[in-house]
Amino acid sequence: MDDPYHNNVNQQMTEGGEYTYTQDGGGHDGYPYQTDYPQQDEDAASDATEGADEDDQMYEGEYQGIPHPDEIKEARRAARLEAKRKARLAAQQEEEGGEESLPEQYESIMEDCGHGRFQWMLFLVLGLALMADGVDGFVVGFVMPSAEKDMCISNSDKGLLGLLVYVSMMVGALVWGGLCDKIGRRKCLIYVLTIDLVFSFLSCFAQGYGFFVFLRFCSGFGIGGSIPIVYTYFTEFLQMDKRGEHLSWLCMFWMLGGLYASFTAWGIIPHYGWGFAIGTQFQIHSWRLFMFVCLFPALAALIGVVFMPESPRFLLENARHDEAWMILRKVHDTNWKAKGEPERVFTVTNIKTPQTQEDEFIEIQSDTGTAFQRWTVRKMTMLQQVMANVMSLSAPELRLQGLFLVIVWFCMAFSYHGLGVWFPDMIKYMQYEEYESKVRVFHRERVERFHFNFSLVNQVHREGEYIHDKFANIEIKSVKFEDSLFENCYFEDIRSTNTFFENCTIKNTVFYNTDLWQEKFKNCRMENTTFLHPKKGCHLNFQEENDIVIYLVSFLGSLAVLPGNIISALFMDKIGRIRIIGGSMLVSSACTFLLLLSFSQGAVICWQCLFYAVSVAAWNGLEVISVELYPSSKRGTAFGILNGICKFAAIIASFIFAAFIGITKIIPIFLAFVALVCGGLVALKLPETREKILS
């Protein structure tokens, strides 16, 4: 018997037990006829309408044999749900029959596609995204010495900026890691790179400190999600015997980000003395040019990602079979054509799709309500699914290995980032001690009718008297006047750095076009003192170069990880992830004791390079095992949580390690040693994943 509904909707069943529906393109709108529904008995119909008010509104097609639109929608939903139920039942029967599961089939497909041109193109694009994250980790530290003068930033405000950037990256890792399991790896990566580019570009022109902090916070929220997405994305295009090696090679791009930031900062910030001002509020200096140049890796990565396909494994996990098949065929054809075998045909005709946990409420709401209501339902349901994904990580089969991973990530990040703060701060402290040892002290000097036309540097003047003196067109750097008298003096075109007047008496004195303003005078008594055309705020002194030692330290530290990256990439698949992680952390803990011998700047730099070279192998192993341990539907979420924990440990470590600068070296070194030993021993308890098929 012909069924009008099935005349418009053709039902087909694939070999994998899946049902697909196609609607005929005839003149009907796809509505089923009345014969789709069981006919009612006349008496039953009479009983159902008996006693009804004649004034009640009735559907005018009710007695014309045309079903109500609500009944049509209900019939469609019932048909779709029934098809899904049958497809899932068929999939379960296939699994019970011992047929190949999706993870095994996907691994076979990736082996058939081979490793070639497509993976290398994706490797370059995702490497640039990882490089952008590495650059962002250095930007704030490099621009701060100049920005603090340009925007008059206090020491407490500098600490706030560094804290907020790490907090934003931590939040970004958590949010985007969860979202990439629901809306796609490629789409999320485009979002995070776009957010980073837009707000980083705007921060190049921010004049106020508050606005600058806000823009860097938003930029950090974007780029903070890049690491979980990049590793998850690339992993799903690699076959089992290539994962460890090529994910380790990918880690090198973070090192390249550090080298790029260090080299460009060294070349731009200290040496380019150009700058211009629009009015008195809008200042453009070389450090802003450096921030602009740092956008190039993210821009290149964004352009590349636009031309890359979505992860086929993600599509299969979300029942998007046809899209995944097309992408896998593209990977296959691209690789074999590049290898000179274009005649090879992609022979896969059917790919299993797993039983998904789609929320049927989204489907029900797709045909009802306003556009805003449908959007709200979808977004709220997606949020619920992300939170459910997070909670599912505490399942018994994932709980223990997840706890071990959290401990190892925290210990590694605590020691690595803590010492990463300690190394440059220790060098700065040694420089400061050396500088302080050369300070010149003048006590009770009396200078009368003298013209100071030379710079004053690193001096302390106590209880001095300066009568009818002129200070014109000079630089005053690291100079302190204490309990001194200035009478009938004239200051003109003065540029000052770290210069203060404490408990001084200033009489009949004129300050013309100087940056000596309120914050420079502490507990001073002024009588008939005039300030004309003051330079309010802080201004860069282009005659003074920033200390290039800090750029050199960062450059050498980034370069030092190159040997560790190469060794870990070559041996990751040979000796296994666990031995790489545990061995690297335990050897790194031994290297920390050499820091007790750091009595000079050169020694600190040497031990820093050694520590980075050894410890980078542990980072590579951690990133590889983190994407291999978790199933595809939870991979981004789990990696995002682990990366967020890494940022949290970095925040704690930066405060603890910085607090002991100039006090003692023993406590920071001991804390790093304990963290590395504990993390290394726990890492040995993790399961080995080098022969594990992605679940």
Side-chain angles (χ1 to χ4, degrees):
M1 172 179 168
D2 289 336
D3 189 338
Y5 178 79
H6 292 89
N7 288 338
N8 289 279
V9 181
N10 298 324
Q11 183 178 10
Q12 297 179 350
M13 176 175 166
T14 65
E15 293 180 9
E18 298 169 350
Y19 287 82
T20 59
Y21 294 85
T22 57
Q23 189 170 330
D24 292 339
H28 297 290
D29 293 331
Y31 297 125
Y33 293 120
Q34 182 72 16
T35 53
D36 279 326
Y37 306 94
Q39 296 184 0
Q40 290 184 333
D41 186 84
E42 290 185 3
D43 294 337
S46 300
D47 293 341
T49 57
E50 185 176 3
D53 193 344
E54 294 181 357
D55 295 331
D56 287 348
Q57 186 176 3
M58 298 175 62
Y59 173 54
E60 51 185 41
E62 180 177 354
Y63 296 110
Q64 300 176 15
I66 302 175
H68 193 280
D70 288 343
E71 295 176 341
I72 296 171
K73 293 175 183 176
E74 184 63 32
R76 285 179 173 177
R77 287 196 292 269
R80 287 195 293 264
L81 294 177
E82 178 64 16
K84 287 183 179 180
R85 187 189 67 79
K86 292 180 178 179
R88 291 173 181 173
L89 181 60
Q92 291 175 357
Q93 291 174 350
E94 288 180 3
E95 291 179 1
E96 292 172 359
E99 294 190 12
E100 193 176 38
S101 63
L102 173 61
E104 294 169 344
Q105 185 184 18
Y106 190 81
E107 181 64 30
S108 299
I109 294 172
M110 293 311 302
E111 291 177 357
D112 184 50
C113 291
H115 188 92
R117 174 180 291 177
F118 180 87
Q119 279 83 1
W120 286 114
M121 290 191 301
L122 185 63
F123 173 81
L124 178 60
V125 170
L126 298 182
L128 288 170
L130 199 59
M131 184 177 173
D133 181 85
V135 169
D136 264 40
F138 289 90
V139 165
V140 172
F142 286 159
V143 304
M144 192 51 63
S146 299
E148 65 179 330
K149 302 174 188 176
D150 207 5
M151 294 188 285
C152 201
I153 304 174
S154 64
N155 289 332
S156 60
D157 286 340
K158 285 192 294 184
L160 176 64
L161 175 59
L163 171 65
L164 289 179
V165 168
Y166 264 102
V167 169
S168 66
M169 295 177 78
M170 177 182 70
V171 175
L174 296 172
V175 171
W176 294 111
L179 287 177
C180 81
D181 281 335
K182 292 301 174 185
I183 65 177
R185 286 68 160 117
R186 174 182 174 272
K187 185 181 292 186
C188 279
L189 189 55
I190 290 175
Y191 288 161
V192 301
L193 291 172
T194 302
I195 292 172
D196 176 54
L197 274 171
V198 170
F199 289 101
S200 294
F201 177 77
L202 293 176
S203 70
C204 297
F205 305 97
Q207 298 296 303
Y209 178 69
F211 194 42
F212 181 75
V213 170
F214 170 75
L215 294 174
R216 294 311 304 181
F217 180 89
C218 295
S219 170
F221 172 75
I223 201 63
S226 62
I227 291 182
I229 300 172
V230 163
Y231 283 101
T232 301
Y233 193 3
F234 193 49
T235 298
E236 293 171 350
F237 280 97
L238 296 173
Q239 59 201 68
M240 183 174 61
D241 59 342
K242 300 287 185 181
R243 282 201 307 264
E245 177 183 353
H246 288 273
L247 285 173
S248 297
W249 290 126
L250 186 66
C251 296
M252 292 183 63
F253 279 91
W254 204 93
M255 171 205 72
L256 294 178
L259 291 175
Y260 178 82
S262 304
F263 185 77
T264 52
W266 192 354
I268 294 176
I269 296 178
H271 302 299
Y272 278 73
W274 67 272
F276 63 90
I278 302 176
T280 59
Q281 300 297 322
F282 197 80
Q283 305 284 333
I284 298 294
H285 296 127
S286 59
W287 64 272
R288 298 182 185 274
L289 173 63
F290 163 71
M291 292 181 63
F292 180 78
V293 172
C294 287
L295 300 178
F296 293 165
L299 178 61
L302 179 60
I303 294 173
V305 172
V306 169
F307 295 98
M308 290 292 112
E310 180 56 87
S311 163
R313 185 61 184 269
F314 166 79
L315 296 174
L316 290 172
E317 293 288 341
N318 288 270
R320 294 159 66 179
H321 173 278
D322 292 343
E323 294 176 69
W325 186 88
M326 293 293 291
I327 293 170
L328 289 170
R329 189 182 70 172
K330 177 183 177 182
V331 174
H332 176 278
D333 294 347
T334 301
N335 288 342
W336 289 111
K337 184 178 179 181
K339 294 177 181 180
E341 299 183 41
E343 69 280 359
R344 293 193 60 158
V345 179
F346 187 58
T347 57
V348 177
T349 57
N350 180 61
I351 307 176
K352 287 182 62 65
T353 52
Q355 179 177 347
T356 60
Q357 299 295 328
E358 294 179 284
D359 193 329
E360 295 166 358
F361 189 54
I362 296 180
E363 184 178 351
I364 294 174
Q365 289 294 320
S366 62
D367 297 326
T368 59
T370 64
F372 178 75
Q373 288 174 333
R374 293 195 296 270
W375 181 87
T376 303
V377 167
R378 291 190 181 99
K379 300 308 175 186
M380 291 302 297
T381 307
M382 183 178 67
L383 179 61
Q384 293 172 3
Q385 291 174 338
V386 170
M387 294 307 299
N389 226 13
V390 173
M391 298 305 297
S392 67
L393 294 176
S394 61
E397 64 273 14
L398 299 175
R399 187 181 304 155
L400 186 59
Q401 66 187 29
L403 177 61
F404 286 163
L405 263 182
V406 167
I407 294 173
V408 178
W409 270 85
F410 183 90
C411 291
M412 187 65 207
F414 180 84
S415 57
Y416 186 89
H417 289 288
L419 290 177
V421 170
W422 187 84
F423 287 130
D425 282 358
M426 193 65 188
I427 292 173
K428 289 180 182 178
Y429 179 73
M430 289 179 174
Q431 291 176 331
Y432 173 76
E433 281 191 324
E434 182 180 357
Y435 191 76
E436 285 288 301
S437 66
K438 299 177 181 179
V439 66
R440 299 178 62 189
V441 180
F442 299 87
H443 189 65
R444 291 186 178 181
E445 64 175 352
R446 180 181 175 86
V447 182
E448 190 170 354
R449 300 186 184 277
F450 185 79
H451 183 190
F452 289 87
N453 57 1
F454 51 87
S455 296
L456 305 178
V457 180
N458 197 21
Q459 300 175 3
V460 175
H461 299 262
R462 296 192 179 103
E463 300 180 15
E465 295 182 3
Y466 305 91
I467 313 297
H468 293 285
D469 293 328
K470 182 178 181 180
F471 301 79
N473 194 28
I474 64 172
E475 177 187 2
I476 306 178
K477 178 182 178 182
S478 299
V479 176
K480 184 183 292 185
F481 295 94
E482 299 178 352
D483 302 305
S484 299
L485 170 67
F486 294 85
E487 187 172 355
N488 295 313
C489 292
Y490 183 77
F491 292 80
E492 181 180 0
D493 294 327
I494 304 297
R495 301 181 306 276
S496 66
T497 303
N498 195 30
T499 296
F500 300 97
F501 297 77
E502 294 185 1
N503 301 316
C504 294
T505 301
I506 303 174
K507 299 180 179 180
N508 304 318
T509 297
V510 175
F511 294 87
Y512 179 83
N513 195 33
T514 74
D515 59 5
L516 299 174
W517 197 236
Q518 296 176 352
E519 66 274 3
K520 303 287 186 179
F521 300 93
K522 300 180 179 180
N523 299 321
C524 293
R525 185 166 60 91
M526 297 187 180
E527 300 178 6
N528 195 26
T529 300
T530 305
F531 292 88
L532 299 175
H533 302 288
K535 299 177 182 177
K536 295 183 180 181
C538 302
H539 303 272
L540 284 171
N541 177 9
F542 296 122
Q543 303 301 319
E544 176 193 359
E545 292 188 352
N546 288 0
D547 188 4
I548 64 173
V549 173
I550 300 304
Y551 307 130
L552 178 62
V553 169
S554 299
F555 183 85
L556 292 177
S558 299
L559 188 62
V561 306
L562 180 60
N565 264 318
I566 295 175
I567 293 173
S568 63
L570 294 178
F571 290 95
M572 188 68 70
D573 289 319
K574 291 181 174 62
I575 67 175
R577 288 76 161 125
I578 303 306
R579 292 179 181 176
I580 288 283
I581 299 170
S584 174
M585 294 185 73
L586 294 176
V587 175
S588 298
S589 66
C591 292
T592 58
F593 278 105
L594 295 175
L595 298 176
L596 295 172
L597 305 177
S598 53
F599 300 110
S600 65
Q601 298 180 39
V604 172
I605 295 174
C606 178
W607 304 136
Q608 173 199 21
C609 293
L610 178 62
F611 175 77
Y612 284 165
V614 174
S615 61
V616 69
W619 278 122
N620 293 357
L622 271 177
E623 285 153 353
V624 172
I625 198 173
S626 296
V627 294
E628 292 178 331
L629 272 178
Y630 290 94
S632 297
S633 60
K634 302 176 177 62
R635 186 169 293 126
T637 303
F639 203 115
I641 292 174
L642 292 171
N643 198 249
I645 290 170
C646 171
K647 298 297 188 293
F648 177 69
I651 294 171
I652 296 176
S654 62
F655 281 102
I656 294 177
F657 280 67
F660 291 100
I661 296 295
I663 300 176
T664 179
K665 293 186 293 186
I666 297 176
I667 294 180
I669 292 172
F670 177 75
L671 290 175
F673 171 79
V674 171
L676 288 168
V677 170
C678 291
L681 294 176
V682 173
L684 298 177
K685 299 291 185 181
L686 290 170
E688 182 56 69
T689 58
R690 59 175 164 169
E691 296 181 356
K692 182 179 186 296
I693 294 176
L694 291 180
S695 58

